[in-house]
Amino acid sequence: MKPKDQNYSKSKRLKNQIKAVVTNPYNLIVLIAIVLLTYLIVLPLLDMISTSFTLAQKDARLAGGAPGSFTLYYWQRLLGSALTKQMLLQPLFNSLLIGVCVSFFAILIGSVLAWLMVRTDLPFKPFFSLAVIIPYMIPSWCKSQAWLTLFKTERIGGAPGFLMSLGINVPDWLAYGPVAIISVLSLHYYAYAYLLVSSALNSINSELEEMGEIQGAGKATILRKITFPLVLPAMLSAVILTFSKAIGTFGVINYLGSKVNFVTLSSQLYMNSKSQNTQTAFAMALIMICIASISVFVNQKLIGSRKSYATIGGKGGRSTPIRLGKHKPLITIVLIAFFIFGIIMPIMLLILESFMLRQGDYSMSNLTLHYWIGDPIANVMEGQPGIFKNSNFVNSLINSLKLTFVNGVFGTIFGQIIGYICAKGRGKLHGKVVEQLVFIPYLIPSIAFGGIFLSMFSTPQQLFGVTLVPSLYGTFALLTITSVVKHLPFASRAGTSNMLQIGGELEEAAEIAGAGFFKRFVRIVFPLSKGGFISGFMLIFVSIMKELDLIILLMTPKTSTLPYLAFQYQNSNSPQASDCVAIVMFSIVFLVYALANIFGDADLAKSMGG
């Protein structure tokens, strides 16, 4: 063949290869995903960084520069000024204290419960399996309300709680501050550890533990030498998940810390954002992101050194329950007591307080339906009617239902698509890029994430003078975009876990038979992923229905949701009305989850990537 013909042949082959890449629908989806993730995740993060170095108009005189110019003023003020201890060091210490303690207790409780539920002959497992995930469906700030109802003191709270009304003198440190916050968050976040560890335990073949028993090892030795190393990666993942969420939480800190001036980075960030100190707030958010990133890096290093353990024993392996023997009755009683006092009693206290006209008075004569269906009374609830006659409640209920269903559908669809990309692109560059991009929102504190999107979409988004996205401040669209993007890490993880269970040979056979990409996706991938789709939907639905931290800076009277309405009632000294809203909210969550579980085989463990 002549050189000219060879060049022509190579050129034609290259053109065909380029054409094949460009016309492949999968490549097009990957490209669109990367562009959207870059626009909605990377650009806001870069904007946050640049804003922390940009001088604001109101600080120009103090900093001695021109508004909009580059400055280190906010970082110097935060890291090396007379205000550093008050603004950063004390809140940072408090945040780390909360994060470390909550992680320890939550992982301990969740891991023990997971082992008992999966590995032992514990009785009443159907009841315990439902009771153990209830804390995940109840917002942490609802548990704060229940904690106050039980432990509140007249000295700080203004009205006695349930225990003080019985004549029990409750110390202030138990009602408010770090002990209360750690207790509430531990009883909330243990559900994450339970879901992750129980999923890991379910994938381990019990023959490994039986072999240890045959060799004469006791239960404690088997747990320490065999079971613990196998579930260590799941436990470490739960530690990072719990730690990141605990240091970034705001609602619980506001309820249980504000009255005793217990301030964390998240509450400082909120106060700076509300005071229009955006640059300082973003600088604090970047510090929180660095802390979360370091914890993830350490986690990856630890898991990396133990990776070989995680693959021992595949799914579908035999599982023989370990006999609890003479300890079974005692363990069962302790668990029942734990669920009664840790879950059932807080809910019952919220319900009881919602029927009390005046706080602290537990007499029958004080019971009322006013906060539910009452007409306005001038000196009660600031003259507002009960929630079912209140237009604010109706508006918030409609907004919450709209937000959860719209975000549940869109978030799950996007999560499944991204999961499909990550599963098919596992080990490839595009799969790694998408996986890393979608993980970024997980590292950003919820309040800061809401603040970024508020700053980004408060003005029209333009390109070459053309408005691509109008100003979204105060719109439902802003809530939707913020919520979907923030929950993409979990949605995509559920999608990836779902897609990995679908054999690639099914698509290959359909492709050989002449089925196009979209036909394969609709006829094969989607039907087989239906169960995981419902589980992913439930994860997003539950998360957004109870969300407060993420949307608190985005709220307007028009877009108010149930969590924000409850927050407003609590701050306006109407805890009974707040309790009513909270009860309605998690009743909706329980109902939807029950229906999804009965008719759709929803499984939150699948959603957590189990």
Side-chain angles (χ1 to χ4, degrees), residues 16 20 78 91 149 277 280 325 354 370 379 419 605:
N16 289 336
L78 196 61
T149 301
N277 295 321
T280 303
S354 72
H370 174 76
N379 60 344

Side-chain angles (χ1 to χ4, degrees), residues 26 418-427 431 495-497 499-500:
Y26 174 76
I418 292 172
Y420 181 77
I421 294 172
C422 293
K424 286 205 69 172
R426 178 152 285 198
T496 303
S497 176
M499 295 300 171
L500 286 172

Side-chain angles (χ1 to χ4, degrees), residues 254-272:
N254 179 73
Y255 280 85
L256 300 177
S258 59
K259 289 183 182 295
V260 291
N261 295 319
F262 185 83
V263 182
T264 63
L265 287 176
S266 60
S267 56
Q268 275 285 75
L269 195 155
Y270 173 76
M271 287 187 285
N272 278 292

Side-chain angles (χ1 to χ4, degrees), residues 162-390:
F162 182 74
L163 292 180
M164 286 206 75
S165 69
L166 297 177
I168 300 173
N169 186 24
V170 178
D172 292 337
W173 59 262
L174 182 58
Y176 300 92
V179 172
I181 293 169
I182 291 168
S183 300
V184 168
L185 290 177
S186 297
L187 289 173
H188 178 70
Y189 287 128
Y190 83 78
Y192 289 120
Y194 169 80
L195 290 170
L196 289 169
V197 174
S198 61
S199 178
L201 286 170
N202 275 316
S203 70
I204 299 171
N205 195 321
S206 65
E207 290 177 354
L208 297 165
E209 294 161 315
E210 290 170 13
M211 289 172 64
E213 193 172 1
I214 291 170
Q215 295 296 320
K219 287 185 175 63
T221 303
I222 292 172
L223 274 173
R224 189 176 70 256
K225 297 287 188 179
I226 300 175
T227 309
F228 178 72
L230 291 172
V231 299
L232 183 61
M235 291 177 69
L236 290 172
S237 296
V239 167
I240 298 306
L241 178 63
T242 305
F243 179 80
S244 299
K245 285 188 169 290
I247 65 171
T249 190
F250 166 74
V252 175
I253 307 298
N254 179 73
Y255 280 85
L256 300 177
S258 59
K259 289 183 182 295
V260 291
N261 295 319
F262 185 83
V263 182
T264 63
L265 287 176
S266 60
S267 56
Q268 275 285 75
L269 195 155
Y270 173 76
M271 287 187 285
N272 278 292
S273 296
K274 294 299 284 185
S275 304
Q276 301 298 313
N277 295 321
T278 307
Q279 288 80 358
T280 303
F282 281 179
M284 298 186 75
L286 289 170
I287 292 173
M288 295 174 74
I289 292 171
C290 289
I291 294 171
S293 300
I294 291 169
S295 64
V296 170
F297 175 77
V298 172
N299 175 64
Q300 291 301 320
K301 285 295 181 183
L302 290 173
I303 289 180
S305 65
R306 312 294 295 241
K307 233 173 225 179
S308 57
Y309 289 115
T311 58
I312 298 176
K315 285 188 178 180
R318 187 164 60 85
S319 180
T320 304
I322 296 172
R323 296 183 180 278
L324 294 174
K326 62 182 181 180
H327 302 296
K328 185 190 291 187
L330 177 61
I331 292 173
T332 304
I333 291 171
V334 170
L335 275 185
I336 292 174
F338 172 77
F339 288 122
I340 288 175
F341 291 104
I343 299 171
I344 297 174
M345 191 171 77
I347 295 174
M348 298 307 295
L349 284 172
L350 286 182
I351 295 173
L352 174 61
E353 189 176 59
S354 72
F355 291 106
M356 292 166 51
L357 184 62
R358 296 177 302 278
Q359 288 182 269
D361 184 353
Y362 291 87
S363 63
M364 292 295 292
S365 60
N366 190 45
L367 298 182
T368 180
L369 290 173
H370 174 76
Y371 294 97
W372 291 96
I373 57 173
D375 293 319
I377 299 176
N379 60 344
V380 177
M381 200 176 156
E382 297 184 342
Q384 298 184 57
I387 64 167
F388 287 135
K389 292 185 176 181
N390 195 314

